[in-house]
């Protein structure tokens, strides 16, 4: 009787584990689909942002009326919502400072 109960518990444990595996496989497939959809959305947003960036720079002019070179300048949005055109080398240094502040806040 004890051996029978032991075998029954073992069989139940195996069945539960098989069910868990099946559920996890279903969850994995669902997460893969969600990841794919998120990646697609991110790519679409990146493309829209890139188009907007090019559209903005195609309309910008310097003091002499010449087009602003997007290779030399970057669009910068401040925390107050103001938008500036700044030299790229300044944008990169500000980006590094922002990254350092984020890392300090996470700690």
């Amino acid at each position: 009787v004890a051996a029978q109960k032991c075998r029954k518990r073992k069989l139940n444990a195996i069945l539960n584990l098989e069910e868990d595996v099946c559920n996890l496989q279903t969850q994995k497939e669902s997460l893969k689909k969600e990841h794919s959809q998120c990646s697609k959305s991110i790519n679409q947003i990146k493309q829209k942002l890139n188009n907007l960036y090019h559209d903005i720079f195609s309309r910008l002019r310097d003091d002499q009326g010449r087009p602003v070179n997007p290779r030399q300048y970057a669009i910068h949005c401040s925390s107050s919502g103001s938008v500036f055109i700044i030299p790229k080398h300044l944008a990169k240094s500000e980006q590094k400072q922002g990254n350092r502040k984020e890392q300090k806040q996470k700690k």
Side-chain angles (χ1 to χ4, degrees), residues 23 34 53:
N23 290 336
E34 185 180 350
Y53 191 84

Side-chain angles (χ1 to χ4, degrees), residues 16-49:
N16 287 336
L17 288 171
E18 286 175 347
E19 185 179 335
D20 289 348
V21 166
C22 203
N23 290 336
L24 288 170
Q25 286 173 336
T26 302
Q27 185 179 7
K28 178 182 175 183
E29 289 303 314
S30 175
L31 289 171
K32 278 184 175 180
K33 286 179 185 176
E34 185 180 350
H35 180 267
S36 176
Q37 290 171 345
C38 288
S39 293
K40 190 182 286 187
S41 294
I42 287 170
N43 287 334
Q44 289 173 343
I45 291 170
K46 282 181 179 179
Q47 185 60 46
K48 285 181 181 180
L49 184 60

Side-chain angles (χ1 to χ4, degrees), residues 1-16:
V1 174
Q4 228 174 3
K5 286 183 181 180
C6 183
R7 284 190 293 273
K8 186 177 180 183
R9 280 194 307 269
K10 183 178 178 181
L11 183 61
N12 284 338
I14 290 171
L15 291 173
N16 287 336

Side-chain angles (χ1 to χ4, degrees), residues 57 60 66-74 88:
F57 271 100
L60 286 175
R66 296 176 300 201
V68 175
N69 188 344
R71 292 184 185 134
Q72 295 175 347
Y73 293 91
K88 278 198 173 179

